[in-house]
């Protein structure tokens, strides 16, 4: 039963992930503490907000540019110079 | 184990750097430098006051520009339509204070920077601009 639950949870994690926003760089779109839901089934396009793996943690940012497998992210409340560049494979989901 | 994990909304470099306290500190320096200028009879010291005051006034402008162009976004402007006019008047006042040795011009600059600070506080939950002013007045 436990194994079944864990398998179901793992599958669900790839479809929908629920996260709490920690920090201010996505304000005013998402305030600190706001809950967001992201889906791994949606297409990543420029302008979408995504949850992505970044080192040992996950980050939430808006996609500003996609070139091949390279994705440039920036916060809505960040200076234009503060970009994060990741690989597309690091993206866990697009925020719904 | 937490059911809902955190997702970090921080910049790669520094986040939460926007703070009107920077402009307020420099505006206060402009005011205090003019005061020292007016109290002194030493011509060399007075020349230094003019130079330092002009540098500080320029820094006020720059800190205000960063807030205006980087921090404030469309949703802020919709909610607070006075934003553009306030920043325009505040940066103009910094320009006036740059070329003036009049204490009133410096006070006007401080007042406008305080207006910016209070507007900023409305947009950022938990930010206490009054504490900034209180610290500088202490």
């Amino acid at each position: 039963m436990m194994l079944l639950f864990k398998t179901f949870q793992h599958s669900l994690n790839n479809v929908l992930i629920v996260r709490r926003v920690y920090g201010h760089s996505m304000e005013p779109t998402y305030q600190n503490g706001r809950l967001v839901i992201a889906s791994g089934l949606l297409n990543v396009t420029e302008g979408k907000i995504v949850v992505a793996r970044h080192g040992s943690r996950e980050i939430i940012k808006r996609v500003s540019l996609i070139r091949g497998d390279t994705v440039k992210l920036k916060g809505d409340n960040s200076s234009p110079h503060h970009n994060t560049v990741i690989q597309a494979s690091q993206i866990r989901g697009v925020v719904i | 184990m937490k059911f809902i994990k955190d997702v970090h909304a921080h910049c790669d470099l520094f986040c939460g750097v926007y703070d009107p306290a920077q402009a307020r500190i420099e505006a206060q320096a402009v005011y205090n430098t003019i005061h020292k200028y007016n109290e002194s009879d030493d011509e060399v010291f007075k020349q230094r006051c003019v130079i330092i005051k002009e540098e500080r006034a320029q820094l006020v402008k720059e800190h205000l520009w960063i807030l205006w162009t980087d921090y404030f976004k469309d949703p802020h402007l919709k909610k607070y339509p006075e934003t553009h006019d306030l920043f325009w008047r505040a940066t103009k006042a910094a320009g006036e204070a740059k070329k003036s040795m009049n204490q009133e011009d410096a006070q006007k600059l401080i007042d406008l920077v305080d207006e910016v600070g209070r507007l900023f506080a409305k947009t950022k939950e938990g930010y206490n601009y009054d504490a900034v002013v209180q610290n500088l007045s202490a």
Side-chain angles (χ1 to χ4, degrees):
Chain A
M1 186 67 184
M2 193 63 183
L3 182 66
L4 192 66
F5 175 74
K6 284 211 174 286
T7 308
F8 171 74
Q9 195 181 29
H10 180 73
S11 306
L12 192 66
N13 272 345
N14 292 328
V15 180
L16 289 176
I17 54 173
V18 183
R19 295 290 182 264
R20 188 185 307 280
V21 176
Y22 179 72
H24 299 275
S25 80
M26 285 308 291
E27 290 177 359
T29 312
Y30 296 127
Q31 303 286 330
N32 183 39
R34 162 85 184 258
L35 289 182
V36 294
I37 299 172
S39 170
L41 299 179
L42 299 174
N43 283 338
V44 179
T45 55
E46 289 175 10
K48 296 277 186 187
I49 296 173
V50 296
V51 171
R53 279 184 285 267
H54 192 248
S56 60
R57 63 186 190 175
E58 287 178 347
I59 57 172
I60 181 167
K61 298 278 173 193
R62 192 179 293 279
V63 175
S64 61
L65 190 80
I66 301 174
R67 288 290 177 273
D69 289 338
T70 304
V71 181
K72 193 155 93 170
L73 307 175
K74 85 176 276 299
D76 284 1
N77 188 24
S78 310
S79 155
H81 311 296
H82 297 171
N83 294 303
T84 305
V85 177
I86 62 167
Q87 293 297 296
S89 58
Q90 290 172 249
I91 293 176
R92 291 216 55 198
V94 174
V95 176
I96 299 169
Chain B
M1 184 180 165
K2 280 172 76 174
F3 178 66
I4 299 172
K5 292 180 188 169
D6 288 336
V7 60
H8 292 258
H10 289 291
C11 303
D12 254 7
L13 298 174
F14 27 81
C15 186
V17 292
Y18 304 107
D19 195 328
Q22 290 173 295
R24 182 55 162 82
I25 288 166
E26 301 305 350
Q28 188 71 51
V30 169
Y31 183 93
N32 292 352
T33 307
I34 291 175
H35 182 70
K36 286 186 180 295
Y37 172 93
N38 289 330
E39 275 194 330
S40 175
D41 294 324
D42 181 339
E43 281 308 313
V44 176
F45 179 77
K46 284 167 91 81
Q47 282 176 25
R48 283 196 66 220
C49 286
V50 171
I51 293 165
I52 289 167
K53 188 260 311 178
E54 289 190 11
E55 285 172 357
R56 300 295 110 180
Q58 180 64 29
L59 285 172
V60 176
K61 270 187 176 180
E62 288 172 15
H63 289 310
L64 290 175
W65 282 331
I66 289 166
L67 283 176
W68 190 3
T69 57
D70 288 358
Y71 174 77
F72 281 87
K73 305 284 193 300
D74 283 345
H76 294 133
L77 300 176
K78 281 181 188 140
K79 196 167 179 184
Y80 305 106
E82 71 275 27
T83 304
H84 280 328
D85 179 62
L86 175 58
F87 272 99
W88 188 80
R89 286 186 291 123
T91 48
K92 276 279 183 194
E96 284 302 314
K98 196 173 172 183
K99 62 190 180 193
S100 164
M101 292 313 286
N102 189 333
Q103 203 78 73
E104 285 173 9
D105 289 330
Q107 185 59 55
K108 188 179 171 190
L109 175 61
I110 286 176
D111 293 342
L112 284 163
V113 170
D114 284 348
E115 274 191 57
V116 169
R118 292 191 184 101
L119 177 65
F120 179 89
K122 286 182 194 170
T123 68
K124 192 160 185 176
E125 197 183 325
Y127 182 83
N128 184 356
Y129 184 74
D130 289 334
V132 172
V133 174
Q134 204 171 6
N135 282 341
L136 285 169
S137 307

